[in-house]
Amino acid sequence: MKLRRFGSYSLIRKGKGKPNGKKPPTEEKKHYLDAEYTKVRVVDFELKELVVLPREIDLNEWLASNTTTFFNLINLQYSTISEFCTGDTCPAMSAYSTTYFWYDEKGKKTKCTAPQYVDFVMSSVQKLVTDEDIFPTKYGKEFPNTFDSLVKKICRYLFHVLAHIYWSHYKETVAMDLHGHLNTLYTHFIVFIREFNLMDPKETSIMDDLTEALCTPLPPQNHVTER
């Protein structure tokens, strides 16, 4: 059974006052962990329900559908702060104390600015998810033997983008009133990669505090849904 691949929830950029575009000095305090922010979501149901493999769906098809959806949603989320993510504000692709380097197809390691890194990520992932030989959409077309490893590679790249948004552009996200969307997207993504063991826990450990805060179910009356 083939699935249509699309976003599971929409992101609407609100008309609240825009930040000034200047990246503040790096602070040790992780504002994204403040309770007033972590409680804000755009859905009020258990996201694990969205990632469990349906009985009638092929595993690879389910992974393909969800991976494509996350690529589109994370690309969209990044686009809301892309004007503030420049070579001057973000000279390295970093999150907390971690700097990510890009490796080209020949394995050459390159240190680049955050916007360059994200562009590499989105371009390479776009190429993969639109390749009919890797992400087949036609009935009867088989997935390649390397599909599982490619999905894991994509998820690793997408996690880097999410981590950078939280670490370097959370204030801009809050200023645009989009932190509820970001929290929901991050939680959904983490629940997905955990369900199918798509990333080594060591690779996501820099965001463990946020993961714990967001993935711990809130009492129903405390869920805050953005309007």
Side-chain angles (χ1 to χ4, degrees):
M1 179 177 178
K2 289 295 180 184
L3 301 175
R4 290 183 62 193
R5 297 170 190 167
F6 52 86
S8 57
Y9 40 84
S10 62
L11 186 155
I12 302 174
R13 186 165 180 167
K14 300 190 176 182
K16 203 169 182 179
K18 293 173 62 176
N20 59 20
K22 294 182 180 179
K23 181 173 179 290
T26 301
E27 301 176 0
E28 288 301 319
K29 180 175 174 59
K30 301 176 181 179
H31 293 287
Y32 52 77
L33 294 179
D34 290 349
E36 65 176 304
Y37 298 138
T38 59
K39 70 181 180 180
V40 182
R41 321 285 171 84
V42 294
V43 295
D44 59 359
F45 55 84
E46 181 57 58
L47 286 167
K48 186 174 175 59
E49 298 174 10
L50 294 180
V51 304
V52 175
L53 177 67
R55 291 183 180 180
E56 70 278 11
I57 302 298
D58 173 74
L59 173 60
N60 283 340
E61 180 59 38
W62 187 244
L63 293 178
S65 176
N66 281 275
T67 300
T68 303
T69 294
F70 282 120
F71 162 65
N72 289 327
L73 291 174
I74 293 172
N75 192 16
L76 178 60
Q77 186 78 49
Y78 177 78
S79 72
T80 66
I81 55 85
S82 60
E83 64 187 292
F84 313 114
C85 185
T86 68
D88 293 328
T89 61
C90 304
M93 182 62 178
S94 59
Y96 195 43
S97 58
T98 301
T99 297
Y100 298 114
F101 297 87
W102 182 256
Y103 291 83
D104 63 20
E105 296 179 353
K106 296 182 179 180
K108 182 180 179 181
K109 178 180 178 181
T110 304
K111 182 179 181 180
C112 48
T113 66
Q116 287 175 326
Y117 186 96
V118 175
D119 183 60
F120 288 149
V121 166
M122 298 308 174
S123 296
S124 63
V125 175
Q126 176 73 32
K127 183 178 179 181
L128 288 172
V129 300
T130 56
D131 188 332
E132 188 67 23
D133 292 328
I134 299 175
F135 278 71
T137 58
K138 297 179 180 178
Y139 182 78
K141 185 84 171 182
E142 297 294 330
F143 287 88
N145 295 330
T146 57
F147 184 70
D148 182 68
S149 62
L150 289 173
V151 168
K152 290 179 178 179
K153 180 179 181 180
I154 291 172
C155 288
R156 187 166 62 252
Y157 285 154
L158 295 180
F159 175 81
H160 295 171
V161 177
L162 285 173
H164 179 72
I165 294 173
Y166 269 105
W167 183 248
S168 299
H169 301 290
Y170 195 68
K171 287 185 177 181
E172 291 96 331
T173 301
V174 170
M176 290 183 284
D177 218 8
L178 293 176
H179 51 301
H181 289 275
L182 179 59
N183 287 344
T184 303
L185 175 56
Y186 178 85
T187 306
H188 189 184
F189 180 74
I190 291 296
V191 171
F192 172 69
I193 64 174
R194 283 182 169 181
E195 178 71 14
F196 299 101
N197 299 311
L198 297 174
M199 287 187 68
D200 187 321
K202 293 180 180 179
E203 295 179 309
T204 60
S205 62
I206 63 168
M207 302 296 285
D208 276 354
D209 46 10
L210 177 66
T211 299
E212 181 178 358
L214 293 180
C215 292
T216 300
L218 294 172
Q221 65 270 23
N222 287 342
H223 276 295
V224 177
T225 303
E226 288 190 338
R227 293 177 295 175

